[in-house]
Amino acid sequence: MSVHSEIKKITTETLRKMKFDKEKITMLTAYDFTTAKMVDAGGVESILIGDSAANVMAGFETTLPITLDQMIYHTQCVVRGVQRALVVADLPFGSYQSNPDKALESAVRMMKEGGAHAVKIEGGIEIEESIRKIINAGIPVMGHLGLTPQSIYQFGTYKVRAKEEAEAEKLLSDAKLLEELGCFALVLEKIPANLAKKVTENITIPTIGIGAGADCDGQVLVYHDMVGMNHGFSPKFLRRYLDLYTEITGAVSQFVKDVKTADFPNQNESY
Ligand code: KIV
């Protein structure tokens, strides 16, 4: 028997059951093979190839520039490193908004070429037909409401969403719609904790929060933020578990010093 077959893989059904059993769900991003391996070994239930790759990997200010081909490449790299977690890939800006046929085509490419287990897309009623079409093709969809970064130029700011009653009501109604359409889970980004609690209590699919308080069924963070690689990004919701920026720059400057002083390589490090 191979080692792989002994690992119980996480499925969309596992996440549904976890909500039912009141067991919290964990998700982190990864964009490459090596990180995905570590994140999977750490025990998260789900790994997200977020379009935050546009920021973190490519240095863009927004998530808008990343292409479907680039997201597929990141997904292929991640999938090769994962044995257990459910791998969810973002469909990037422009790959699903224009019409349901295009949305399905993009989702199929992400599954077929990328090897993702599910796709995530941003929005509610505006993309109802696209979600329906993707799910009807047998592709699991994770929704994403609240601060949806692909709409940043419409919002004009990365501040907390749905503080006003009208937007909060629309968000709740969108969440119910996503459940009705058959989404298997829902990311809630940067909304008031009491609204996230209300949504979580009013739908049967799991909610995964980022900046949405403690009552969501699970939590997601961007890996590079939670390991402290990015000193320039410090939102209130972020908990840093490491300070890798300091560790890595320290290691690099030590290497520079060791080479310049002829300390590295020594005899044991030479052939
Ligand atoms: O792109 C991303 O990393 C995301 C998470 C922040 C949920 O969508």
Side-chain angles (χ1 to χ4, degrees):
M1 186 187 277
S2 80
V3 177
H4 284 219
S5 60
E6 286 165 20
I7 292 170
K8 194 159 185 321
K9 289 187 183 294
I10 304 292
T11 66
T12 56
E13 201 40 51
T14 317
L15 303 193
R16 253 186 228 127
K17 189 171 178 305
M18 287 175 76
K19 173 169 179 131
F20 185 78
D21 293 342
K22 296 191 172 3
E23 184 186 345
K24 294 282 189 185
I25 297 163
T26 54
M27 179 158 85
L28 284 172
T29 59
Y31 318 107
D32 67 274
F33 170 77
T34 305
T35 306
K37 248 178 121 167
M38 292 188 288
V39 170
D40 193 41
V44 295
E45 282 85 24
S46 183
I47 293 180
L48 174 69
I49 301 97
D51 58 0
S52 51
N55 314 116
V56 177
M57 293 281 104
F60 287 114
E61 288 234 337
T62 74
T63 59
L64 274 64
I66 200 160
T67 65
L68 181 60
D69 284 336
Q70 288 164 340
M71 285 299 294
I72 287 172
Y73 169 73
H74 283 299
T75 304
Q76 290 168 338
C77 298
V78 166
V79 164
R80 285 193 285 270
V82 175
Q83 295 190 355
R84 174 177 175 268
L86 181 78
V87 177
V88 183
D90 264 339
L91 291 189
F93 179 67
S95 71
Y96 61 93
Q97 286 93 344
S98 58
N99 69 70
D101 288 335
K102 176 149 189 189
L104 177 59
E105 203 179 297
S106 302
V108 166
R109 283 197 64 203
M110 186 52 88
M111 302 295 283
K112 215 180 171 88
E113 298 172 41
H117 306 151
V119 298
K120 175 165 83 57
I121 54 182
E122 297 182 5
I125 193 160
E126 309 77 15
I127 53 162
E128 176 178 359
E129 284 317 312
S130 296
I131 295 175
R132 198 189 306 279
K133 195 144 193 159
I134 296 172
I135 292 176
N136 281 346
I139 299 172
V141 174
M142 176 178 274
H144 184 155
L145 298 174
L147 177 64
T148 46
Q150 292 178 17
S151 304
I152 187 57
Y153 288 112
Q154 200 170 55
F155 296 154
T157 157
Y158 284 102
K159 284 191 186 139
V160 177
R161 301 302 310 176
K163 281 165 110 176
E164 307 300 330
E165 204 173 316
E167 195 180 338
E169 270 173 27
K170 179 179 183 304
L171 192 145
L172 180 58
S173 126
D174 278 343
K176 288 180 179 167
L177 175 68
L178 295 182
E179 174 187 30
E180 209 177 288
L181 289 170
C183 288
F184 71 91
L186 172 58
V187 167
L188 295 174
E189 179 164 354
K190 237 176 160 184
I191 61 169
N194 60 357
L195 176 60
K197 181 174 192 290
K198 191 168 175 190
V199 172
T200 302
E201 287 170 354
N202 276 277
I203 58 176
T204 57
I205 58 172
T207 58
I208 319 267
I210 173 161
D215 291 302
C216 293
D217 298 304
Q219 297 293 328
V220 54
L221 284 176
V222 169
Y223 166 82
H224 290 70
D225 298 337
M226 65 81 75
V227 296
M229 281 197 196
N230 182 6
H231 274 187
F233 183 66
S234 299
K236 182 178 171 183
F237 67 76
L238 174 63
R239 184 176 294 183
R240 284 207 181 96
Y241 289 83
L242 288 170
D243 182 5
L244 279 194
Y245 183 88
T246 304
E247 291 284 323
I248 291 171
T249 50
V252 170
S253 58
Q254 186 63 50
F255 167 73
V256 170
K257 189 171 155 229
D258 289 353
V259 172
K260 291 194 185 294
T261 57
D263 179 76
F264 175 80
N266 62 25
Q267 262 194 341
N268 292 336
E269 291 157 338
S270 305
Y271 297 100

Coordinates of all heavy atoms in Angstrom, one line a residue, residues 106-184:
S106 N -13.4 28.9 -17.8 CA -12.3 29.2 -16.9 C -12.2 28.2 -15.8 O -11.1 27.8 -15.4 CB -12.4 30.6 -16.3 OG -12.5 31.6 -17.3
A107 N -13.4 27.9 -15.2 CA -13.4 26.9 -14.1 C -12.9 25.6 -14.6 O -12.2 24.9 -13.9 CB -14.8 26.8 -13.5
V108 N -13.4 25.2 -15.8 CA -12.9 23.9 -16.3 C -11.4 23.9 -16.5 O -10.8 22.9 -16.2 CB -13.7 23.6 -17.7 CG1 -13.0 22.4 -18.4 CG2 -15.2 23.3 -17.4
R109 N -10.9 25.0 -17.0 CA -9.4 25.0 -17.2 C -8.7 24.9 -15.9 O -7.7 24.2 -15.8 CB -9.0 26.3 -17.9 CG -9.3 26.3 -19.4 CD -8.5 27.5 -20.1 NE -7.1 27.3 -20.0 CZ -6.2 28.3 -20.0 NH1 -6.6 29.5 -20.2 NH2 -4.9 28.0 -19.9
M110 N -9.2 25.6 -14.9 CA -8.6 25.5 -13.5 C -8.6 24.1 -13.0 O -7.6 23.7 -12.3 CB -9.4 26.5 -12.6 CG -8.7 26.7 -11.3 SD -7.0 27.1 -11.4 CE -7.0 28.8 -11.5
M111 N -9.7 23.4 -13.2 CA -9.8 22.0 -12.7 C -8.9 21.1 -13.6 O -8.1 20.3 -13.0 CB -11.2 21.5 -12.7 CG -12.2 22.3 -12.0 SD -11.9 22.3 -10.2 CE -12.6 20.8 -9.7
K112 N -9.0 21.2 -14.9 CA -8.4 20.3 -15.8 C -6.9 20.5 -15.9 O -6.1 19.6 -15.8 CB -9.0 20.5 -17.2 CG -9.2 19.2 -18.0 CD -9.8 19.7 -19.3 CE -9.8 18.5 -20.3 NZ -11.0 17.7 -20.2
E113 N -6.5 21.8 -16.1 CA -5.0 22.1 -16.3 C -4.4 22.3 -14.9 O -3.2 22.0 -14.7 CB -4.9 23.3 -17.2 CG -5.4 23.1 -18.6 CD -5.4 24.4 -19.4 OE1 -4.4 25.2 -19.3 OE2 -6.4 24.7 -20.1
G114 N -5.1 23.0 -14.0 CA -4.5 23.4 -12.7 C -4.5 22.2 -11.8 O -3.6 22.1 -10.9
G115 N -5.5 21.4 -11.9 CA -5.6 20.3 -10.9 C -6.3 20.7 -9.6 O -6.2 19.9 -8.6
A116 N -7.0 21.8 -9.6 CA -7.7 22.3 -8.4 C -8.8 21.3 -8.0 O -9.3 20.6 -8.9 CB -8.2 23.7 -8.5
H117 N -9.2 21.3 -6.7 CA -10.3 20.5 -6.3 C -11.6 21.3 -6.3 O -12.7 20.7 -6.2 CB -10.1 19.9 -4.9 CG -8.8 19.2 -4.7 ND1 -8.1 19.1 -3.5 CD2 -8.1 18.5 -5.6 CE1 -7.0 18.4 -3.7 NE2 -6.9 18.1 -5.0
A118 N -11.5 22.6 -6.4 CA -12.6 23.5 -6.3 C -12.2 24.9 -6.7 O -11.0 25.2 -6.7 CB -13.2 23.6 -4.9
V119 N -13.1 25.8 -7.1 CA -12.8 27.1 -7.4 C -13.4 28.1 -6.5 O -14.5 27.8 -5.9 CB -13.1 27.5 -8.9 CG1 -12.4 26.6 -9.9 CG2 -14.6 27.4 -9.1
K120 N -12.8 29.3 -6.3 CA -13.5 30.3 -5.5 C -13.7 31.5 -6.4 O -12.9 31.9 -7.3 CB -12.6 30.7 -4.4 CG -13.1 31.9 -3.6 CD -12.5 32.1 -2.2 CE -11.2 32.9 -2.2 NZ -11.2 34.2 -2.8
I121 N -14.9 32.1 -6.3 CA -15.2 33.3 -7.1 C -15.9 34.4 -6.2 O -16.6 34.1 -5.2 CB -16.0 33.1 -8.4 CG1 -17.3 32.4 -8.1 CG2 -15.2 32.3 -9.4 CD1 -18.0 32.1 -9.4
E122 N -15.6 35.6 -6.5 CA -16.1 36.8 -5.7 C -17.4 37.3 -6.2 O -17.6 37.5 -7.4 CB -15.1 37.9 -5.8 CG -13.7 37.6 -5.2 CD -12.7 38.7 -5.2 OE1 -13.1 39.8 -5.6 OE2 -11.6 38.5 -4.8
G123 N -18.4 37.5 -5.3 CA -19.6 38.1 -5.7 C -20.9 37.3 -5.3 O -20.8 36.1 -5.0
G124 N -22.0 38.0 -5.4 CA -23.3 37.4 -5.1 C -24.2 37.3 -6.3 O -23.9 36.7 -7.3
I125 N -25.4 38.0 -6.2 CA -26.4 37.9 -7.2 C -26.0 38.2 -8.6 O -26.5 37.7 -9.6 CB -27.7 38.7 -6.8 CG1 -28.9 38.3 -7.6 CG2 -27.4 40.2 -6.8 CD1 -30.2 38.7 -7.0
E126 N -25.0 39.1 -8.7 CA -24.5 39.6 -10.0 C -23.9 38.5 -10.8 O -23.9 38.5 -12.0 CB -23.4 40.7 -9.8 CG -23.7 41.8 -8.9 CD -23.6 41.5 -7.4 OE1 -23.0 40.5 -7.0 OE2 -24.2 42.3 -6.6
I127 N -23.4 37.4 -10.1 CA -22.8 36.3 -10.9 C -23.5 35.0 -10.7 O -22.9 33.9 -10.8 CB -21.3 36.2 -10.5 CG1 -21.1 36.1 -9.0 CG2 -20.4 37.3 -11.1 CD1 -19.7 35.5 -8.6
E128 N -24.8 35.2 -10.3 CA -25.6 34.0 -10.1 C -25.6 32.9 -11.2 O -25.4 31.7 -10.9 CB -27.1 34.4 -9.9 CG -28.1 33.3 -9.7 CD -29.5 33.8 -9.4 OE1 -29.7 35.1 -9.4 OE2 -30.4 33.0 -9.3
E129 N -25.8 33.4 -12.4 CA -25.8 32.4 -13.5 C -24.5 31.7 -13.7 O -24.4 30.5 -14.1 CB -26.3 33.1 -14.8 CG -27.8 33.4 -14.9 CD -28.6 32.3 -14.4 OE1 -28.4 31.1 -14.8 OE2 -29.5 32.5 -13.5
S130 N -23.4 32.5 -13.5 CA -22.1 31.8 -13.7 C -21.9 30.8 -12.6 O -21.4 29.7 -12.9 CB -21.0 32.9 -13.6 OG -21.1 33.8 -14.6
I131 N -22.3 31.1 -11.4 CA -22.1 30.1 -10.3 C -22.9 28.8 -10.6 O -22.5 27.7 -10.5 CB -22.5 30.7 -9.0 CG1 -21.5 31.8 -8.6 CG2 -22.5 29.6 -7.9 CD1 -21.9 32.6 -7.3
R132 N -24.2 29.1 -11.1 CA -25.1 28.0 -11.4 C -24.5 27.1 -12.5 O -24.4 25.8 -12.3 CB -26.4 28.5 -11.9 CG -27.6 27.5 -11.8 CD -28.8 28.0 -12.5 NE -29.3 29.3 -12.0 CZ -30.0 29.6 -11.0 NH1 -30.4 28.5 -10.2 NH2 -30.4 30.8 -10.6
K133 N -23.9 27.7 -13.5 CA -23.4 27.0 -14.6 C -22.2 26.1 -14.2 O -22.0 25.0 -14.6 CB -23.0 27.9 -15.7 CG -22.8 27.3 -17.0 CD -23.2 28.1 -18.2 CE -23.2 27.2 -19.4 NZ -24.1 27.7 -20.5
I134 N -21.3 26.7 -13.4 CA -20.1 26.0 -12.9 C -20.5 24.8 -12.0 O -20.0 23.7 -12.2 CB -19.1 27.0 -12.1 CG1 -18.6 28.1 -13.1 CG2 -18.0 26.2 -11.6 CD1 -17.8 29.2 -12.4
I135 N -21.4 25.1 -11.1 CA -21.8 24.0 -10.2 C -22.6 22.9 -11.0 O -22.3 21.7 -10.7 CB -22.7 24.5 -9.0 CG1 -21.8 25.4 -8.1 CG2 -23.3 23.4 -8.2 CD1 -22.5 26.1 -7.0
N136 N -23.4 23.3 -12.0 CA -24.1 22.2 -12.8 C -23.1 21.4 -13.6 O -23.4 20.2 -14.0 CB -25.0 22.9 -13.8 CG -26.3 23.3 -13.1 OD1 -26.6 22.9 -12.0 ND2 -27.1 24.2 -13.7
A137 N -21.9 21.9 -13.8 CA -20.9 21.1 -14.5 C -20.1 20.2 -13.5 O -19.2 19.5 -13.9 CB -19.9 22.0 -15.2
G138 N -20.5 20.2 -12.3 CA -19.9 19.3 -11.3 C -18.6 19.9 -10.6 O -17.9 19.1 -10.0
I139 N -18.5 21.2 -10.7 CA -17.3 21.8 -10.1 C -17.7 22.5 -8.8 O -18.6 23.3 -8.8 CB -16.7 22.8 -11.1 CG1 -16.2 22.1 -12.4 CG2 -15.5 23.6 -10.4 CD1 -15.8 23.1 -13.5
P140 N -17.0 22.1 -7.7 CA -17.4 22.8 -6.4 C -17.0 24.2 -6.4 O -15.9 24.6 -6.8 CB -16.6 22.0 -5.4 CG -16.2 20.7 -6.1 CD -16.0 21.0 -7.5
V141 N -17.9 25.1 -5.9 CA -17.6 26.5 -5.9 C -17.6 27.0 -4.4 O -18.6 26.7 -3.7 CB -18.6 27.3 -6.7 CG1 -18.4 28.8 -6.5 CG2 -18.5 26.9 -8.2
M142 N -16.6 27.8 -4.1 CA -16.5 28.5 -2.8 C -16.9 30.0 -3.1 O -16.3 30.5 -4.0 CB -15.1 28.4 -2.2 CG -14.9 29.2 -0.9 SD -13.2 28.9 -0.2 CE -13.5 27.4 0.7
G143 N -17.8 30.5 -2.4 CA -18.2 31.9 -2.6 C -17.2 32.9 -1.8 O -16.4 32.4 -1.0
H144 N -17.4 34.1 -2.1 CA -16.5 35.1 -1.4 C -17.3 36.5 -1.4 O -17.6 37.0 -2.4 CB -15.2 35.3 -2.2 CG -14.2 36.2 -1.5 ND1 -12.8 36.1 -1.7 CD2 -14.3 37.3 -0.7 CE1 -12.2 37.0 -1.0 NE2 -13.1 37.7 -0.4
L145 N -17.7 36.9 -0.2 CA -18.5 38.1 0.0 C -17.8 39.1 1.0 O -16.9 38.7 1.7 CB -19.9 37.8 0.5 CG -20.8 36.9 -0.4 CD1 -22.1 36.5 0.4 CD2 -21.1 37.6 -1.7
G146 N -18.3 40.3 1.0 CA -17.7 41.3 1.9 C -16.7 42.1 1.1 O -17.0 42.7 0.1
L147 N -15.5 42.2 1.7 CA -14.4 42.9 0.9 C -14.0 42.0 -0.2 O -13.3 40.9 0.1 CB -13.3 43.3 1.8 CG -12.1 44.0 1.0 CD1 -12.5 45.3 0.4 CD2 -10.9 44.2 1.9
T148 N -14.4 42.3 -1.4 CA -14.0 41.4 -2.6 C -12.9 42.2 -3.4 O -13.3 43.1 -4.1 CB -15.2 41.1 -3.4 OG1 -16.0 42.3 -3.6 CG2 -16.1 40.0 -2.7
P149 N -11.7 41.9 -3.2 CA -10.6 42.8 -3.7 C -10.6 43.0 -5.2 O -10.1 44.0 -5.7 CB -9.3 42.1 -3.3 CG -9.7 41.3 -2.1 CD -11.1 40.8 -2.4
Q150 N -11.3 42.1 -6.0 CA -11.4 42.3 -7.4 C -12.2 43.5 -7.7 O -12.2 44.0 -8.9 CB -11.9 41.1 -8.1 CG -10.9 39.9 -8.1 CD -11.4 38.6 -8.7 OE1 -12.4 38.7 -9.5 NE2 -10.8 37.5 -8.4
S151 N -13.0 44.0 -6.8 CA -13.9 45.2 -7.0 C -13.3 46.4 -6.3 O -14.0 47.4 -6.1 CB -15.3 44.9 -6.4 OG -15.9 43.8 -6.9
I152 N -12.0 46.4 -6.1 CA -11.4 47.5 -5.3 C -11.6 48.9 -5.9 O -11.8 49.9 -5.3 CB -9.9 47.3 -5.0 CG1 -9.3 48.4 -4.1 CG2 -9.1 47.2 -6.3 CD1 -10.0 48.5 -2.8
Y153 N -11.6 49.0 -7.3 CA -11.8 50.3 -7.9 C -13.3 50.8 -7.8 O -13.5 51.9 -7.9 CB -11.3 50.3 -9.4 CG -9.8 50.2 -9.4 CD1 -9.2 49.1 -9.9 CD2 -9.1 51.2 -9.0 CE1 -7.8 49.0 -10.0 CE2 -7.7 51.2 -9.0 CZ -7.0 50.1 -9.5 OH -5.7 50.0 -9.5
Q154 N -14.2 49.8 -7.5 CA -15.6 50.2 -7.3 C -15.7 50.7 -5.8 O -16.3 51.7 -5.5 CB -16.5 49.1 -7.5 CG -17.9 49.4 -7.8 CD -18.7 48.2 -8.3 OE1 -18.7 47.2 -7.6 NE2 -19.3 48.4 -9.4
F155 N -15.1 49.9 -4.9 CA -15.1 50.3 -3.5 C -14.3 51.6 -3.2 O -14.7 52.4 -2.4 CB -14.5 49.2 -2.6 CG -15.3 47.9 -2.6 CD1 -14.7 46.7 -2.4 CD2 -16.7 47.9 -2.9 CE1 -15.4 45.5 -2.4 CE2 -17.4 46.7 -2.9 CZ -16.7 45.5 -2.7
G156 N -13.1 51.7 -3.8 CA -12.2 52.8 -3.6 C -11.4 52.7 -2.3 O -10.5 53.6 -2.1
T157 N -11.6 51.7 -1.5 CA -10.8 51.5 -0.3 C -10.9 50.1 0.2 O -11.8 49.3 -0.1 CB -11.4 52.4 0.8 OG1 -11.1 51.9 2.1 CG2 -13.0 52.5 0.8
Y158 N -9.9 49.7 1.0 CA -9.9 48.3 1.6 C -10.5 48.3 3.0 O -10.2 47.4 3.7 CB -8.4 47.8 1.6 CG -7.9 47.4 0.2 CD1 -7.0 48.2 -0.5 CD2 -8.3 46.2 -0.3 CE1 -6.5 47.8 -1.7 CE2 -7.8 45.8 -1.6 CZ -6.9 46.6 -2.3 OH -6.5 46.2 -3.5
K159 N -11.3 49.3 3.3 CA -11.9 49.4 4.7 C -12.9 48.3 4.8 O -13.4 47.7 3.9 CB -12.5 50.7 4.9 CG -11.5 51.8 5.2 CD -12.2 53.1 5.6 CE -11.2 54.2 5.8 NZ -11.7 55.5 5.3
V160 N -13.4 48.1 6.1 CA -14.4 47.1 6.5 C -15.7 47.4 5.6 O -16.1 48.5 5.5 CB -14.7 47.2 8.0 CG1 -15.9 46.3 8.3 CG2 -13.5 46.9 8.8
R161 N -16.3 46.3 5.1 CA -17.5 46.4 4.3 C -18.7 46.1 5.1 O -18.6 45.5 6.2 CB -17.5 45.4 3.1 CG -16.3 45.5 2.1 CD -16.2 46.8 1.5 NE -17.5 47.3 0.9 CZ -17.6 48.5 0.3 NH1 -16.5 49.3 0.3 NH2 -18.7 48.9 -0.2
A162 N -19.9 46.5 4.6 CA -21.2 46.1 5.1 C -21.4 46.6 6.5 O -22.1 45.9 7.3 CB -21.4 44.6 5.0
K163 N -20.9 47.8 6.8 CA -21.2 48.4 8.1 C -22.6 49.0 8.1 O -23.3 49.2 9.1 CB -20.2 49.5 8.5 CG -18.9 48.9 9.0 CD -17.8 49.9 9.0 CE -17.4 50.3 10.4 NZ -16.2 51.3 10.3
E164 N -23.0 49.5 6.9 CA -24.4 50.1 6.8 C -25.4 48.9 6.6 O -25.1 47.9 6.0 CB -24.4 51.0 5.5 CG -23.3 52.1 5.5 CD -23.4 53.0 6.7 OE1 -24.5 53.2 7.2 OE2 -22.4 53.5 7.1
E165 N -26.6 49.2 7.0 CA -27.7 48.2 7.0 C -28.0 47.7 5.6 O -28.1 46.4 5.4 CB -28.9 48.8 7.7 CG -29.8 47.7 8.2 CD -31.0 48.2 9.0 OE1 -30.8 49.1 9.8 OE2 -32.1 47.7 8.8
A166 N -28.1 48.6 4.6 CA -28.4 48.1 3.3 C -27.4 47.1 2.7 O -27.8 46.1 2.2 CB -28.6 49.3 2.4
E167 N -26.1 47.4 2.9 CA -25.1 46.5 2.4 C -25.1 45.2 3.2 O -24.9 44.1 2.7 CB -23.7 47.2 2.5 CG -22.7 46.5 1.6 CD -21.3 47.1 1.6 OE1 -21.2 48.3 1.9 OE2 -20.3 46.4 1.4
A168 N -25.3 45.3 4.5 CA -25.4 44.1 5.4 C -26.5 43.2 4.9 O -26.4 42.0 4.9 CB -25.5 44.5 6.8
E169 N -27.7 43.8 4.6 CA -28.8 43.0 4.2 C -28.6 42.3 2.9 O -28.9 41.2 2.7 CB -30.1 43.9 4.1 CG -30.9 44.0 5.4 CD -32.0 45.0 5.3 OE1 -32.5 45.3 4.2 OE2 -32.3 45.5 6.4
K170 N -27.9 43.1 2.0 CA -27.6 42.4 0.7 C -26.6 41.3 0.9 O -26.7 40.2 0.2 CB -27.0 43.5 -0.3 CG -26.6 42.8 -1.6 CD -26.1 43.8 -2.6 CE -25.8 43.1 -4.0 NZ -24.9 42.0 -4.0
L171 N -25.7 41.5 1.8 CA -24.7 40.4 2.0 C -25.3 39.2 2.5 O -25.1 38.1 2.1 CB -23.6 40.9 3.0 CG -22.3 40.0 3.0 CD1 -21.1 40.9 3.2 CD2 -22.4 39.0 4.2
L172 N -26.3 39.4 3.5 CA -27.0 38.2 4.0 C -27.8 37.5 2.9 O -27.8 36.3 2.8 CB -27.9 38.6 5.2 CG -28.6 37.5 5.9 CD1 -27.7 36.4 6.4 CD2 -29.5 38.1 7.0
S173 N -28.4 38.3 2.1 CA -29.3 37.7 1.1 C -28.4 37.0 0.0 O -28.7 35.9 -0.5 CB -30.2 38.8 0.5 OG -30.1 38.9 -0.8
D174 N -27.2 37.6 -0.3 CA -26.3 37.0 -1.2 C -25.8 35.6 -0.6 O -25.6 34.6 -1.4 CB -25.0 37.9 -1.5 CG -25.3 38.9 -2.6 OD1 -26.3 38.8 -3.3 OD2 -24.6 39.9 -2.6
A175 N -25.5 35.6 0.7 CA -25.0 34.4 1.3 C -26.0 33.3 1.2 O -25.7 32.1 0.9 CB -24.7 34.7 2.8
K176 N -27.3 33.6 1.4 CA -28.4 32.6 1.3 C -28.5 32.1 -0.1 O -28.7 31.0 -0.4 CB -29.7 33.2 1.8 CG -29.8 33.4 3.3 CD -31.1 34.0 3.7 CE -31.1 34.1 5.2 NZ -32.2 35.0 5.7
L177 N -28.3 33.1 -1.1 CA -28.4 32.7 -2.5 C -27.2 31.7 -2.9 O -27.5 30.7 -3.5 CB -28.3 33.9 -3.4 CG -28.2 33.7 -4.9 CD1 -29.5 33.1 -5.4 CD2 -27.9 35.0 -5.6
L178 N -26.0 32.0 -2.4 CA -24.9 31.2 -2.7 C -25.1 29.7 -2.1 O -24.8 28.7 -2.7 CB -23.6 31.7 -2.1 CG -23.1 33.1 -2.7 CD1 -21.8 33.5 -2.1 CD2 -23.0 33.0 -4.2
E179 N -25.7 29.7 -0.9 CA -26.1 28.4 -0.3 C -27.1 27.7 -1.2 O -26.9 26.5 -1.6 CB -26.6 28.6 1.1 CG -27.1 27.3 1.7 CD -27.9 27.5 3.0 OE1 -28.5 28.5 3.2 OE2 -27.8 26.5 3.8
E180 N -28.1 28.4 -1.6 CA -29.2 27.8 -2.5 C -28.6 27.3 -3.8 O -29.0 26.3 -4.3 CB -30.2 29.0 -2.8 CG -31.6 28.5 -3.0 CD -32.4 29.8 -3.2 OE1 -32.6 30.6 -2.2 OE2 -32.8 30.1 -4.3
L181 N -27.6 28.1 -4.4 CA -27.0 27.7 -5.7 C -26.2 26.4 -5.5 O -25.9 25.8 -6.5 CB -26.2 28.8 -6.2 CG -27.0 30.0 -6.7 CD1 -26.0 31.2 -7.0 CD2 -27.8 29.7 -8.0
G182 N -25.8 26.1 -4.3 CA -25.0 24.9 -4.1 C -23.5 25.1 -3.8 O -22.7 24.2 -3.9
C183 N -23.1 26.4 -3.5 CA -21.7 26.6 -3.1 C -21.5 25.8 -1.8 O -22.3 25.6 -1.0 CB -21.5 28.1 -2.7 SG -21.5 29.1 -4.2
F184 N -20.2 25.2 -1.7 CA -20.0 24.4 -0.6 C -19.4 25.1 0.6 O -19.4 24.6 1.7 CB -19.0 23.2 -1.0 CG -17.6 23.7 -1.2 CD1 -16.6 23.7 -0.2 CD2 -17.2 24.1 -2.5 CE1 -15.3 24.1 -0.4 CE2 -15.9 24.6 -2.7 CZ -14.9 24.6 -1.6

